[in-house]
Amino acid sequence: MECRSGTRLLFSLMETDETLPLSYLSQYGYCPRRAGLLMLDRAWAESADTMMGAAEHERVHTQRKERRGNLIQFYEFPVFSVELGLSGFCDCVEATASGNGAKLPEISGKWALYPVEYKHGVMRTEREYELQLCGQAMCLEEKYKVEILEGSLFYIDSHRRQPVALDTKLREETRYTARMLAEMMQSGKVPDPTLSARCKKCSLKEICHPEWSRSAADYCKNLRKQLLEEETLCEN
Ligand code: SF4
């Protein structure tokens, strides 16, 4: 999940550029209400997970360029997309020389681009991380007029990379999620809570009160049942 300082930085981008924070693709993918609470109510609560994630991301979140042979790694690389209406940063963009690649500022030649998003914890599959990575790749494609077919999620604890194919389905989901974020921002309405297994690990559960959704739903169900029973009694 996004660290507090990252959130603040991206909000300032949002306010000046009228784009939404790219990292909220991941928040929306995790839970639309979570994205709404962060984006509209500017809620934040630390959990062991968010603190660990922020600490682990600290090294990555220093803007710099590192060269290793034919590979150049750009850390904390700023990106935006007019099509998606999003802006933010790629944790790392790897560039390798390629005849039909992108021209990059301050370095000569043409370069194939490969985004890498760092995530706290051990290797696992989380669709919301793939949405965020795909959003980053689409931003790079729009700006540098290149095609990016793959990126990677790097899991810090297991020190392993998981390649992600940036296929049509993932791109459509990314566009859809960006649209949902924009609509939510325009409406100013935070979605209602939906109690799910994800709530257990969500740092906002104390603010969100997802259990209320269950009790409200139960209340309506009981009320409906009661009314039906009364109607049946009257008819008899
Ligand atoms: S507690 Fe559950 S419903 Fe509430 S924001 Fe978190 S994941 Fe979403």
Side-chain angles (χ1 to χ4, degrees), residues 30-31 33-34 37 193-194 199 202 205 208 210:
Y30 186 83
C31 167
R33 178 167 170 82
R34 183 179 167 91
L37 288 170
T194 308
C199 300
C202 177
K205 60 178 178 284
C208 166

Side-chain angles (χ1 to χ4, degrees), residues 1 30-34 37 47 49 128 192-214:
M1 295 295 142
Y30 186 83
C31 167
R33 178 167 170 82
R34 183 179 167 91
L37 288 170
S47 68
D49 265 3
E128 66 269 22
D192 292 334
T194 308
L195 190 63
S196 75
R198 296 197 143 190
C199 300
K200 269 195 197 152
K201 290 188 82 179
C202 177
S203 62
L204 298 184
K205 60 178 178 284
E206 302 301 329
I207 298 167
C208 166
H209 297 293
E211 68 284 357
W212 289 358
S213 68
R214 180 59 58 83

Side-chain angles (χ1 to χ4, degrees), residues 15-79:
E15 281 152 5
T16 51
D17 296 345
E18 293 179 0
T19 55
L20 295 175
L22 195 153
S23 61
Y24 281 14
L25 288 172
S26 172
Q27 303 289 0
Y28 191 97
Y30 186 83
C31 167
R33 178 167 170 82
R34 183 179 167 91
L37 288 170
L38 291 167
M39 199 167 70
L40 297 168
D41 287 1
R42 303 203 173 186
W44 184 258
E46 292 282 18
S47 68
D49 265 3
T50 58
M51 284 195 286
M52 186 90 77
E56 287 175 348
H57 262 83
E58 212 150 275
R59 191 182 126 71
V60 183
H61 284 176
T62 310
Q63 216 161 38
R64 65 191 188 282
K65 180 169 79 185
E66 289 180 5
R67 192 161 198 153
R68 286 190 190 124
N70 292 332
L71 176 75
I72 305 177
Q73 290 169 307
F74 296 88
Y75 288 91
E76 197 68 349
F77 194 84
V79 289

